Amino acid sequence: MRVQSLTLAAASAALLAPTALPIAAPPRAEERPAVRPAVRPAVRPAMGPQGGVRAAELLAKARRCAQVSRGRYRTDDGRSPTVPVCGTREAVFWKADLDIDCDGRPGRRCNSRTDPWFSDATAFTQSDGRYLDAERLPYVVVPGPSRVWDYRDHGIRGGSVVALVHRDRVRYAVVGDVGPRDIIGEASYAAAEALGIPADPHGGGTDSGVTYIVFKDTRVDPIEDRGAAVAVGERLARMFARGR
């Protein structure tokens, strides 16, 4: 069962803590300087295999966990915490389920009628100030900052590049929303669809088998540029898998 991601308002207290990034007046847009990999011009997102990096290569690299979280996360409300956040010099990663996040701009598939937990806000916004479109943009939800783990302390922010692995598929996304502090394993409608996972917000998703690899100190700008996320993701995934 998916629990509702934090809305922009609910996340504000945590994001205005002393370690928070500078926040502009609503709608919020991050201003923290980022070390941004050079991005190529926007290209049509690839729908087939991406980047030449095989799922097996990334999973082999993520087999060992050097835990960076102080505790573990639940995959769903009411379950025992079993999922640690692991880290390397280049990335953090975790292995969990995938619940469907339909939050953001309402559309035909993501709205208050199709999703009982729907919120019309996301923690991060696109370049025109509007909230993200879960139907079109593959994005990942990170847990809200807590004593267990604070994503901001690891060079992660809205627009950070993510490699998603499910079975033999590798797809690329961005960090696009912030969820509950104690739950992990959630991604947008578009991300699930790209991975071949049922994307219905009411009963879709998968109970296990998804690896989330978030690359530190990266940022796609504008956040909605899917082509840039793929281009940067391909390069970073290749470096991560092959140790370069």
Side-chain angles (χ1 to χ4, degrees):
M1 176 181 71
R2 181 173 79 85
V3 297
Q4 185 177 28
S5 296
L6 296 179
T7 63
L8 191 60
S12 61
L15 292 177
L16 289 175
T19 56
L21 306 179
I23 304 298
R28 187 175 61 213
E30 294 182 312
E31 297 178 352
R32 178 182 172 182
V35 178
R36 303 178 185 175
V39 297
R40 303 174 192 171
V43 297
R44 183 180 182 82
M47 298 307 292
Q50 297 178 1
V53 179
R54 294 182 297 114
E57 293 181 87
L58 293 174
L59 294 177
K61 185 73 173 183
R63 185 171 294 123
R64 294 184 179 181
C65 176
Q67 186 169 328
V68 296
S69 59
R70 296 185 180 91
R72 299 189 175 209
Y73 287 94
R74 309 173 192 275
T75 55
D76 290 293
D77 192 28
R79 292 196 174 183
S80 299
T82 59
V83 179
V85 176
C86 311
T88 68
R89 185 178 61 182
E90 304 90 359
V92 297
F93 60 90
W94 57 90
K95 303 172 186 178
D97 63 345
L98 190 151
D99 294 323
I100 307 300
D101 187 349
C102 250
D103 294 346
R105 279 191 286 157
R108 186 167 64 88
R109 300 175 181 87
C110 291
N111 55 65
S112 58
R113 295 185 303 277
T114 62
D115 182 0
W117 301 280
F118 179 75
S119 168
D120 61 3
T122 50
F124 306 106
T125 57
Q126 61 182 36
S127 57
D128 60 3
R130 292 190 295 173
Y131 294 115
L132 305 183
D133 185 343
E135 293 183 16
R136 296 178 178 273
L137 181 68
Y139 69 73
V140 163
V141 181
V142 293
S146 71
R147 295 179 63 183
V148 174
W149 184 63
D150 188 336
Y151 65 90
R152 299 168 301 181
D153 293 339
H154 297 264
I156 296 167
R157 56 189 63 83
S160 288
V161 180
V162 185
L164 290 168
V165 186
H166 178 60
R167 296 181 178 173
D168 62 347
R169 292 193 181 193
V170 179
R171 296 293 183 265
Y172 300 102
V174 293
V175 171
D177 205 358
V178 175
R181 295 183 177 187
D182 62 341
I183 292 177
I184 205 166
E186 191 173 359
S188 68
Y189 183 104
E193 193 172 50
L195 289 169
I197 294 171
D200 180 5
H202 188 45
T206 184
D207 289 336
S208 62
V210 179
T211 298
Y212 301 73
I213 303 170
V214 187
F215 299 105
K216 299 178 181 180
D217 299 313
T218 62
R219 189 177 186 180
V220 171
D221 190 7
I223 193 173
E224 66 270 24
D225 190 340
R226 292 186 61 182
V230 171
V232 175
E234 289 175 353
R235 179 169 59 83
L236 296 175
R238 189 177 303 112
M239 294 170 64
F240 177 79
R242 298 169 189 175
R244 294 196 296 272

